[in-house]
Amino acid sequence: MQSLGQGSRRRIVDVLTLSPPQEGIVVKGWVRTVRTSKQVAFLNVNDGSNLSGLQVVAGEDLENREEVGHLTTGSAVAITGTLVESPAKGQAVELRATAVEIVGKADPDYPLQKKRHGFEFLRTIAHLRNRTNTYGAVFRVRNALAHATHCFFQDRGFVYVHTPIITASDCEGAGELFRVSTLDPESPPRNDQGQIDWSQDFFGGSTYLTVSGQLDVETFALGMSDVYTFGPTFRAENSHTSRHASEFWMIEPEMSFCDLAGDCDLAEAYTKHLVTTVLERCAEDMAFFDERVEKGLVERLRAVAEASFERMTYAEAVRRLEGSGQEFEYPVYFGANLQAEHERHLTETLVGRPVFVTDYPREIKAFYMRRNDDDRTVAAMDLLVPKVGELIGGSQREERHDVLKAAIEAAKLPVEAYQWYLDTRRFGTTPHAGFGLGFERMVMYATGMQNIRDVIPFPRTPGNCLF
């Protein structure tokens, strides 16, 4: 059969907005289900543009009706027909096919048959799982959140900066880095002390996959005022929890002439923008998540969009948690890292809405955060939200050269490796602040999905780098 051509193809999500009758409609996609009788075959065809797909009716007058009736699930098809009102429940319109081209027939052992598949199984076929209702919805929401991110910052005049993936610096000082090297692992060059001579490596020294673009994007803020980066980051943390992955994406804005209060203002506006956008743009998908994944999801997100975010210091949060009468697995005291159970109790029970916790003890935060005047705390903030806990982490950065240098030394980091970073504090320093949002955590929060492996196309976790 002659090819139907790409130029006339319409997305199914757009076809469903048309008023029938409409002749000469061309859709292309993959067959989800086939139901046949003697006279007619009913196909559900989905092209990834929406959740429900489109019902196609192939009548006995169709030239290849018998072949169409034997189509296998997963087959790719191109269909021309007339859009008409549907007499059946469940859809307003359907496509009466006048021509069906079988573009690519799926083998009978196609693994996504008409039944529910567990998430564990679907992770083993990540190259196919986007064809399911759940994962198609997840990745449409992910796309909408990415688009909303760029719109939010671009509309506010921020400059998008592509920070490097290969780096010589550890932003957090945590040491959980993936090394990048071209040296022969079986016979690397060695120095006089018998140690590996990294000076002979490709970049002339030790290099790693980045854990954050923050330090680099700070340098652009100190010259271009308002900037952001949105890219992949990597952590060589041997964690098998549902919230950690070895490769994930981060959004990190940075603003010059900005303090911690302004940082919180931007984080609140950004969070509300994301939530509002996904509720408006992905209504069908969000209704699906509300019904199948987390009851009350849409109501929870609407409450966040409409809420006034609370702000309290870390010291006040600790006092309120200590006085709550709640027994926690991990004890609460000044100087302790707040755990997820503390964060959720604070935002769900004690406050009842999102809350910024600010001014953490400096011992539990990164070296680059600005020392407060009490010399006990730093100008840091975490945004805590119901059901998840921490969603955003940020701070005002230490802009004073000598204080920052002392902090690097106290963290036992090599000062010479951060000399370029210190330079920005010598050449026209200014107060500046920013935050980081783990993109996959935001997708989990928006969809109700409970495992980070289910919101990134091809998850990278300890022991797993398939596809």
Side-chain angles (χ1 to χ4, degrees), residues 158 217-228 253-260 262-263 266 395-397 399 424-425 427-434:
F158 280 65
V217 86
E218 274 189 61
T219 70
F220 270 76
L222 293 169
M224 303 188 77
S225 296
D226 298 322
V227 297
Y228 72 106
E254 196 76 26
M255 299 80 68
S256 281
F257 311 103
C258 182
D259 60 12
L260 188 64
D263 202 24
L266 188 80
S395 70
Q396 184 175 335
R397 318 308 189 187
E399 84 277 12
T424 62
R425 274 60 171 180
F427 305 132
T429 189
T430 175
H432 58 288

Side-chain angles (χ1 to χ4, degrees), residues 126-139:
H127 57 305
L128 296 172
R129 64 179 180 169
N130 64 83
R131 300 192 194 184
T132 66
N133 283 340
T134 300
Y135 287 99
V138 165
F139 295 124

Side-chain angles (χ1 to χ4, degrees), residues 21-53:
Q22 296 274 346
E23 297 182 354
I25 299 294
V26 178
V27 298
K28 300 181 182 184
W30 293 266
V31 175
R32 288 280 180 88
T33 61
V34 181
R35 293 184 293 112
T36 61
S37 66
K38 290 183 179 180
Q39 290 79 28
V40 68
F42 298 94
L43 314 179
N44 180 270
V45 178
N46 192 292
D47 64 359
S49 65
N50 77 331
L51 181 75
S52 58

